[in-house]
Amino acid sequence: MKKIIYRKFLSDCLIFFLISIFSASVIIWVMQAVNYLDIMTDDGRDSMVYFSYSLLNFPKIISKIFPFAFFFSFSYIIAKYELNNELMIYWNFGVQKINFVNFFLFFSIILLILQILLTSILVPKTQNMARSILRISDFNFVDNFIKVKKFNASISDLTIYSESKDDNGNYNNIYIKREINENNFQITYAKKGKFKNNEKNPFFELYDGETTSSVNDKITNFSFSKSKFNLSEFSANTITVKKTQEHKTSELITCVDKLIQKNLLEIEKIKKIVRNCEYKNLNNIVAELYKRIVIPLYLPALMLIALLLIIQSKEKINYTRYRLIIFLFGFFIIIFSESTLRFVNKSFQNNLLLFLIPIFLTLLLYCYFLQKIKFKNIK
């Protein structure tokens, strides 16, 4: 009978949790996907690149929402059961509160493991895949690559401006500035132009214009009736280098280990895999590992905070205020866990202290449960 009771309560919590986390994640994903439209419009990327890149960011959103949805779901269902007198039925059937707490504390540890797998393996993998899609994708220089009456600088070292565009795809009064290096540049003006694709070599066909070049402080210019401006040698401003958050957890741990040992030979080897494996970037790498491994350790503490709702009955006059305090306390712990990232640094003692905070908080809350339940039994 007790197993059926636990199963019923757990299924209600999980269903509400899954609905909460996926509905919230989808809403955030849609809002974020709108911001990713510049990948397709400004960079001239294909629509499939845009869709794939957006979709691969979904696991990251879930990992961010996870603790909020977890605490909200379990605390809401516990409060609902209490208000409907269903918890009272559990206690009358002989379910011990401490056993109830132990069961859900154990379950929170299972979710903790899943969260660590999500943040340590799946999220970095999908983030790297998303970056790889941008890295290997081609530009689509046709259609809406250039927005009229706007300086288009989505391509590195190149700025293009057009006053208007007709129905045949011809651009009018075109301005093109090419940055050769810090001191040298080339400016081209043309009355009319049109994009043309030649397999992998797109170019801008220009008519009736003039090109002015500044090389080593020497200015030259020439006029043309027709000219081709090759675009295949340019690349987008989109960052394609692998970021810290896109590396495997094992790679980052190896990097930190070599940096702490100050083994220059081994550091050079790992830099072939982790390009930013440098001592000046150690804080960022440690913070990324902390985010993946340590922050999920707050889940058992959040579960115990939600379970504080079973200690006090709804018959108490201040139960509504008590429930509000529990909700606020839980959300404060979530915010606190995220804010501890700013305190992560190169100090081992400091990072160890931050690592122990969620463990100490869980033990403190569990001892509080033991004291409260024991006191009520004696009373």
Side-chain angles (χ1 to χ4, degrees):
M1 186 63 184
K2 291 181 181 179
K3 289 184 179 179
I4 296 175
I5 291 174
Y6 284 135
R7 194 181 304 131
K8 172 66 169 59
F9 190 90
L10 183 59
S11 64
D12 286 349
C13 289
L14 281 178
I15 291 172
F16 192 78
F17 168 67
L18 292 175
I19 293 173
S20 299
I21 193 169
F22 278 105
S23 57
S25 297
V26 167
I27 292 171
I28 295 174
W29 177 73
V30 170
M31 294 174 63
Q32 196 176 75
V34 173
N35 295 327
Y36 289 150
L37 277 172
D38 62 345
I39 296 175
M40 181 173 65
T41 56
D42 289 351
D43 285 0
R45 305 279 183 175
D46 187 81
S47 58
M48 281 304 298
V49 173
Y50 161 73
F51 178 76
S52 301
Y53 183 83
S54 301
L55 190 62
L56 286 169
N57 278 276
F58 193 69
K60 182 180 178 181
I61 296 172
I62 291 180
S63 69
K64 292 290 186 182
I65 296 295
F66 198 101
F68 288 96
F70 170 80
F71 174 72
F72 174 74
S73 301
F74 279 84
S75 58
Y76 173 79
I77 295 298
I78 293 171
K80 180 184 175 183
Y81 267 60
E82 175 61 32
L83 292 173
N84 294 336
N85 293 320
E86 294 180 72
L87 285 181
M88 183 61 67
I89 297 174
Y90 286 11
W91 314 144
N92 291 337
F93 265 103
V95 176
Q96 298 294 321
K97 287 187 177 181
I98 191 63
N99 293 333
F100 190 82
V101 170
N102 289 339
F103 176 80
F104 283 96
L105 180 60
F106 175 75
F107 180 73
S108 70
I109 294 174
I110 295 176
L111 289 182
L112 157 66
I113 295 171
L114 291 177
Q115 172 73 335
I116 291 178
L117 292 175
L118 176 65
T119 55
S120 300
I121 299 176
L122 183 60
V123 172
K125 178 68 175 177
T126 53
Q127 289 291 287
N128 184 42
M129 290 172 63
R131 186 70 57 183
S132 297
I133 288 175
L134 293 184
R135 196 179 298 121
I136 64 177
S137 63
D138 296 323
F139 295 105
N140 177 13
F141 286 101
V142 196
D143 300 328
N144 57 358
F145 171 70
I146 288 187
K147 299 181 181 66
V148 295
K149 295 185 178 180
K150 179 180 178 181
F151 286 92
N152 302 269
S154 55
I155 299 180
S156 181
D157 301 326
L158 187 67
T159 301
I160 303 178
Y161 174 87
S162 175
E163 189 176 83
S164 61
K165 180 183 178 181
D166 60 29
D167 296 335
N168 296 320
N170 296 310
Y171 292 90
N172 302 310
N173 295 326
I174 303 158
Y175 167 89
I176 302 175
K177 182 179 180 181
R178 175 186 180 185
E179 299 285 346
I180 301 173
N181 53 45
E182 187 176 349
N183 298 315
N184 302 324
F185 61 89
Q186 182 185 79
I187 295 176
T188 300
Y189 169 78
K191 290 184 178 179
K192 191 170 72 170
K194 188 173 185 177
F195 273 123
K196 292 193 176 182
N197 279 323
N198 181 14
E199 295 182 355
K200 292 287 184 177
N201 298 311
F203 62 91
F204 209 173
E205 194 167 79
L206 305 172
Y207 302 94
D208 300 325
E210 183 177 273
T211 295
T212 302
S213 301
S214 175
V215 180
N216 298 326
D217 296 328
K218 293 182 180 180
I219 297 177
T220 59
N221 61 68
F222 65 89
S223 301
F224 58 83
S225 58
K226 181 180 179 181
S227 178
K228 291 182 179 180
F229 191 91
N230 190 8
L231 295 166
S232 60
E233 60 186 280
F234 296 98
S235 60
N237 286 324
T238 307
I239 299 173
T240 55
V241 178
K242 207 171 184 179
K243 294 182 177 180
T244 301
Q245 63 187 28
E246 296 159 7
H247 283 284
K248 296 179 181 178
T249 302
S250 58
E251 293 173 350
L252 296 182
I253 292 174
T254 302
C255 172
V256 172
D257 178 55
K258 302 307 177 186
L259 289 174
I260 292 175
Q261 293 180 10
K262 297 183 179 180
N263 190 324
L264 297 179
L265 183 61
E266 294 296 326
I267 291 174
E268 289 301 317
K269 288 182 180 179
I270 192 65
K271 280 184 72 174
K272 295 178 181 179
I273 303 173
V274 185
R275 291 183 60 181
N276 56 356
C277 184
E278 300 175 350
Y279 194 75
K280 64 180 181 181
N281 196 44
L282 181 58
N283 283 0
N284 293 331
I285 298 173
V286 174
E288 180 63 28
L289 289 172
Y290 178 88
K291 182 172 62 177
R292 296 182 186 184
I293 300 172
V294 179
I295 289 182
L297 295 178
Y298 282 88
L299 287 183
L302 290 174
M303 175 64 85
L304 291 176
I305 293 172
L307 288 169
L308 287 173
L309 292 168
I310 72 173
I311 291 179
Q312 194 168 112
S313 171
K314 71 167 187 175
E315 304 301 328
K316 295 282 186 179
I317 298 176
N318 61 348
Y319 178 74
T320 302
R321 187 179 66 178
Y322 176 76
R323 188 175 60 178
L324 178 61
I325 292 172
I326 295 300
F327 276 122
L328 293 177
F329 182 44
F331 285 115
F332 168 77
I333 292 299
I334 294 172
I335 296 171
F336 172 78
S337 67
E338 294 290 338
S339 65
T340 54
L341 268 171
R342 69 180 67 179
F343 301 109
V344 176
N345 54 39
K346 301 172 186 177
S347 171
F348 174 79
Q349 291 79 7
N350 178 74
N351 296 335
L352 179 62
L353 178 62
L354 293 174
F355 171 78
L356 292 175
I357 289 177
I359 299 174
F360 175 75
L361 180 61
T362 303
L363 293 174
L364 185 65
L365 287 167
Y366 189 76
C367 290
Y368 179 77
F369 268 104
L370 291 176
Q371 181 193 11
K372 277 291 183 180
I373 295 172
K374 182 180 179 182
F375 176 77
K376 283 195 173 185
N377 290 336
I378 294 174
K379 189 175 178 179

